[in-house]
Amino acid sequence: GNSVTQMEGPVTLSEEAFLTINCTYTATGYPSLFWYVQYPGEGLQLLLKATKADDKGSNKGFEATYRKETTSFHLEKGSVQVSDSAVYFCALSDRRGYQKVTFGIGTKLQVIP
Amino acid sequence: ETGVTQSPTHLIKTRGQQVTLRCSSQSGHNTVSWYQQALGQGPQFIFQYYREEENGRGNFPPRFSGLQFPNYSSELNVNALELDDSALYLCASSFQGNTEAFFGQGTRLTVV
């Protein structure tokens, strides 16, 4: 079956530091890959996505590249802000059959001033 | 374009009771999925509805059931509530065949 493995947090960074959250996946098909963000007390928001190998998803300064050869989709941001503090979920959705989303455990990011 | 809306936002129930959660899908979306997110965990897929029928189910017992209505809104019903059912329940809507799902704010269910 499909699965997503991401680094466990919490991750604590100073403002303007560089962020990397690692994510690898296992899938039987050729999935679409996503990063979702969850702010305290809220639901999930789609942060970025990539649908095929070597695609780069980007949004709000965050980037992730679909690496089929290493089955990875690492999230990066060059300079984090306090407002980026949240839980980040790596996820995939198989194009075949019904499109359920499989999530990683989530990585909590805390950015301190 | 309206987003995915869920009601209620918070709910407290007693063990053994039944609960119904509601979801209105995003305009133009014909598929609704439900997820359970326990504290400190990633969301887990419960089931998906398309054309008013369940077309996929995760590893949840039959006391978790659902409905989808002609306007694509949906309900999640849980019977015989257990303490472990305490979680954030998330609804997601999408267009069938499109892998991108849009999530609501969730319903926080507490079973005491």
Side-chain angles (χ1 to χ4, degrees):
Chain A
N2 297 337
S3 66
V4 175
T5 302
Q6 64 181 105
M7 57 189 290
E8 294 198 29
V11 174
T12 302
L13 295 174
S14 297
E15 205 165 22
E16 299 184 2
F18 184 84
L19 168 71
T20 299
I21 301 178
N22 291 333
C23 170
T24 57
Y25 68 90
T26 302
T28 52
Y30 190 175
S32 295
L33 303 176
F34 307 91
W35 278 98
Y36 284 88
V37 59
Q38 187 172 41
Y39 297 100
E42 297 188 9
L44 294 172
Q45 297 178 26
L46 179 64
L47 180 60
L48 53 84
K49 67 175 182 178
T51 58
K52 61 183 187 295
D54 300 325
D55 261 4
K56 178 184 283 188
S58 62
N59 186 26
K60 299 180 181 179
F62 291 89
E63 293 183 341
T65 301
Y66 192 143
R67 300 291 188 197
K68 195 168 187 291
E69 64 276 13
T70 55
T71 62
S72 64
F73 193 54
H74 305 321
L75 182 68
E76 296 182 337
K77 187 176 185 183
S79 175
V80 294
Q81 305 300 312
V82 172
S83 57
D84 294 327
S85 298
V87 180
Y88 293 81
F89 292 93
C90 185
L92 67 82
S93 181
D94 199 330
R95 300 166 213 272
R96 302 175 306 171
Y98 59 93
Q99 289 82 39
K100 79 169 191 177
V101 183
T102 300
F103 290 87
I105 196 169
T107 301
K108 183 175 182 179
L109 170 66
Q110 183 177 13
V111 181
I112 54 177
Chain B
E1 181 177 279
T2 57
V4 179
T5 58
Q6 294 186 241
S7 63
T9 54
H10 295 84
L11 202 53
I12 299 175
K13 288 287 190 177
T14 303
R15 189 172 48 183
Q17 284 189 314
Q18 178 266 343
V19 69
T20 298
L21 310 182
R22 294 179 175 83
C23 171
S24 293
S25 60
Q26 183 163 314
S27 177
H29 287 177
N30 57 12
T31 301
V32 175
S33 302
W34 287 91
Y35 293 79
Q36 180 194 66
Q37 185 181 13
L39 198 62
Q41 301 294 316
Q44 299 293 315
F45 175 75
I46 302 175
F47 45 54
Q48 181 179 93
Y49 277 81
Y50 171 62
R51 289 185 175 177
E52 301 176 49
E53 290 191 1
E54 184 182 296
N55 74 334
R57 189 177 186 93
N59 189 26
F60 281 82
R63 59 190 185 84
F64 285 78
S65 63
L67 286 172
Q68 186 184 31
F69 300 100
N71 66 354
Y72 306 129
S73 66
S74 177
E75 289 181 354
L76 164 66
N77 299 289
V78 187
N79 294 322
L81 284 167
E82 301 176 0
L83 297 179
D84 285 348
D85 295 333
S86 296
L88 180 68
Y89 288 85
L90 295 163
C91 170
S93 75
S94 59
F95 192 81
Q96 187 67 13
N98 189 324
T99 55
E100 185 171 338
F102 295 83
F103 285 79
Q105 296 296 93
T107 294
R108 174 72 63 187
L109 172 65
T110 302
V111 182
V112 298

